[in-house]
Amino acid sequence: MFADVAFPISQYQVFTYAVKIQHQALIRIGQRVQAPIGQRLMDGVIVSISETTQFGGKIKAIKEILDDKPILDKPLWKLIEWISRYYFTPLGKAANVIPKNLSINYAPQEQWYVEVTSKNKPTKELEQRAPAQYKAYKVLAQFESAVAITKLNKIVASPITICKGLQAKGFVELLKREKNYADDNFSFSPLEKKIDFSAEQQKALDSIDSYFSSNEYAAMLLHGVTGSGKTEIYIKAAEKVLNKGQSVLILLPEITLTPQIAGRIRSVFGEKVGLWHSKLTSAVRAATWSKICNGEYQVIVGVRSAIFAPLKNLGLIIVDEEQDTSYKQEEPEPHYNARDVALMRGKINSAKVLLVSATPSLESYYNHIMGKYAYCYLSKRFKEAVYPQVTVVDMIKEQEESGKTGQVFSGLLQDKISERLKQDEQVILLQNRRGYAPIYRCRDCGEIFDCPTCSIPLTYHRDGDNLQCHFCGYNLKTIPYQCRNCSSEKIYLSGTGTQKVEDIVREAFSGSRIERLDTDSIRSGKELTRTLQEFNKGAIDILLGTQMIAKGLDFGNVTLVGIINADTGLFLPDFRSGEKVFQLIYQAAGRSGRGAIKGEVVVQSFNADNPVIRYAARLDLKKYYNIIIGERKELSYPPFTRLAKAVFVGNDRNRVEKAARQTMNNFSAHKKNIEILGPAWCYREKLRNKYRMQIVFKSSKETDPNGTILHNYISKNLLNQKLAGSIKLNIDIDPVSLL
Ligand code: ADP
Ligand code: ZN
Ligand code: ZN
């Protein structure tokens, strides 16, 4: 018996191995194995099994089977194969989307618990004779039921010995229990709600029902203004699927959204709900995976990689905030988009896919216009909630009038914050940049301090007092006081990040409770959940943060949203920059006035006349989308055009350029229906000491509706290029940006 194995290497080739007698009854497609390749052993995945082989060379044997069952069922394996083909990723690498170190044989660990008994109580004597036991007892006596013995870790030196001593005297009882891998750290306590659907909501539910009534694949876009009840509607839709005995996958773009939505979903589906995200410990990860496999979890709420959760009998996939670019995996390969993978998984599993958003991606919006997806629109906020009033502050005028430059807050925003705080209402402030100041620059010669290995400026962080590269994590602890170019000592911090906003807010509103949420402030899931829950309870007045807090969150008492600098990202040289800024403003505005009190939004901009800012401030999505659809058509960009990006990466700048140019020259003359642009240096020319040059491929959807022309062209002309060993080629299909 022989088996072909794919390894996580850059080659597309698979390798044939003999299967030892003792493995023959066990081996399955989709299992991971360890096998010799060259001089070493490597983990790979079985991709096919056969009785004979055509291979003429010397055949080695598989050394070990790592999973006792395939980690993937047939449909999931089909999905991985599709990813490998579609995203031009060798199968062994595509299979890496499945987390490592998961054992189906996972057995929950046991842990000691301890409980005080009612039989005996210690006396003064114990305090004198065994002070440690007494101390431990005092702590344990505060709890009404058994607690994990680890609670005593910081109290006494050897908790288990101490507790055994206490047990011998009859003061406590030791119990062995299954370790509870609770992921409560990422969930609000279940949020019970009485749901009464409005006529408009009911209509949406009915149309989902009728469109999803067959047993076949179907995709639908649920588009509704912020606060229209989309979450409640998809929870209801999920309930119907569960009642049919099928399972449901709910994707969220961002870990910040998990706690609140998980709390809602748990209150409806209870124990059936599992969470999946990057901050799970490996033990919880293995436990979760095993509960998905054995059917204990029938609902998974998770971020991007949850799209590979091995749910059985999958009936519905919900992709919330489907436009979000964090669904796209940038590193490592495969560069998949979980939204698109969800659609493919839906097809393979004959499941339904519900894309949900207040600001759909232009692609999905256009797919609906073209009749490819069913569509359902909610035009009103739920109940008495109305749309917030938006005011744009022209920061250039503001500067002229006040005579001050570099102001972070306009007078208007400052006044409005005070007003709202006085009425015990809450405020969200958005500044989509983390750190204190994004640029450190010389006043005399203009030199900007950038990362030594990346072509991006270093950001000053007040927490930690250092300069950091937001790409590679490089960290400069001693901050230079002299310009490295002209030795001038006039170096200054320029621009504003969340930490600076925090300082200013703390000073201006010193009596208020203020919290910051960005990737630097979230040290653990527990802390994230705590902050969000406190805000929910009203124990925090002002929540400030990056785009993390701009969408998906639902706090009824927030009546003011301030967007400190709406222009962030507006002028990035990318076809999608306008769309992204629009969506961010629109979403952030959507956090205001979701309850009974009418909300407002203040948008500060140095480009108040820019159409993106203007339409976003009017919350006029359809108008803006129609304008950019026109632009995209004219300039041949998605959704009218399929894109692929080939990035040449290497240590030597000249060689990278040479490889890219040579490849371009070698392209076949018959470029029918394919447009090729470049080569050009990437916007970030150097990252982690590697230079990057790109070529962009376009094909019109009119002539290439399924993308086959583009795919065939790339596989015939690009994949077969012989590149120098030092150059790596990175292919990105459907890139979310051309930066
Ligand atoms: P969206 O996802 O569209 O932004 P949500 O589903 O979060 O909106 O709804 C906004 C708020 O209104 C939430 O607090 C939600 O629980 C509440 N809500 C929406 N629809 C109903 C309903 N039919 N009955 C009760 N509460 C509702
Ligand atoms: Zn200088
Ligand atoms: Zn760097």
Side-chain angles (χ1 to χ4, degrees), residues 274-292:
L275 305 184
W276 188 263
H277 52 74
S278 56
K279 290 221 154 63
L280 296 180
T281 61
S282 50
V284 179
R285 191 171 289 266
T288 305
W289 194 266
S290 129
K291 285 186 186 176
I292 301 173

Side-chain angles (χ1 to χ4, degrees), residues 442 445 447 483 485-486 488:
C442 169
C445 75
E447 172 86 355
C483 174
N485 185 39
C486 74
S488 159

Side-chain angles (χ1 to χ4, degrees), residues 127-183:
E127 189 175 1
Q128 283 146 15
R129 291 192 157 204
Q133 285 187 8
Y134 186 76
K135 206 167 148 197
Y137 183 86
K138 283 297 237 188
V139 172
L140 296 173
Q142 292 167 17
F143 295 94
E144 278 174 15
S145 53
V147 291
I149 201 164
T150 47
K151 273 259 183 302
L152 297 175
N153 280 354
K154 288 197 183 122
I155 318 279
V156 290
S158 169
I160 188 76
T161 323
I162 301 277
C163 286
K164 279 185 178 157
L166 284 167
Q167 178 166 259
K169 294 176 184 135
F171 298 140
V172 305
E173 199 176 344
L174 275 165
L175 315 154
K176 209 164 199 181
R177 280 195 192 161
E178 219 176 71
K179 195 165 172 178
N180 181 17
Y181 288 118
D183 42 21

Side-chain angles (χ1 to χ4, degrees), residues 451 453-454 469 472:
C451 172
T453 65
C454 309
C469 170
C472 73

Side-chain angles (χ1 to χ4, degrees), residues 218-250:
M220 183 163 188
L221 174 60
L222 174 61
H223 178 193
V225 301
T226 52
S228 55
K230 297 183 293 297
T231 316
E232 302 300 346
I233 289 173
Y234 73 62
I235 291 176
K236 189 76 196 169
E239 188 178 358
K240 291 183 182 173
V241 171
L242 285 169
N243 287 343
K244 280 198 279 184
Q246 293 179 307
S247 58
V248 178
L249 186 53
I250 301 173

Side-chain angles (χ1 to χ4, degrees), residues 451-456 458 468-474 686-689:
C451 172
T453 65
C454 309
S455 57
I456 46 181
L458 294 171
Q468 291 179 18
C469 170
H470 282 181
F471 182 79
C472 73
Y474 168 85
K686 195 173 91 174
L687 290 176
R688 287 202 175 94
N689 259 337

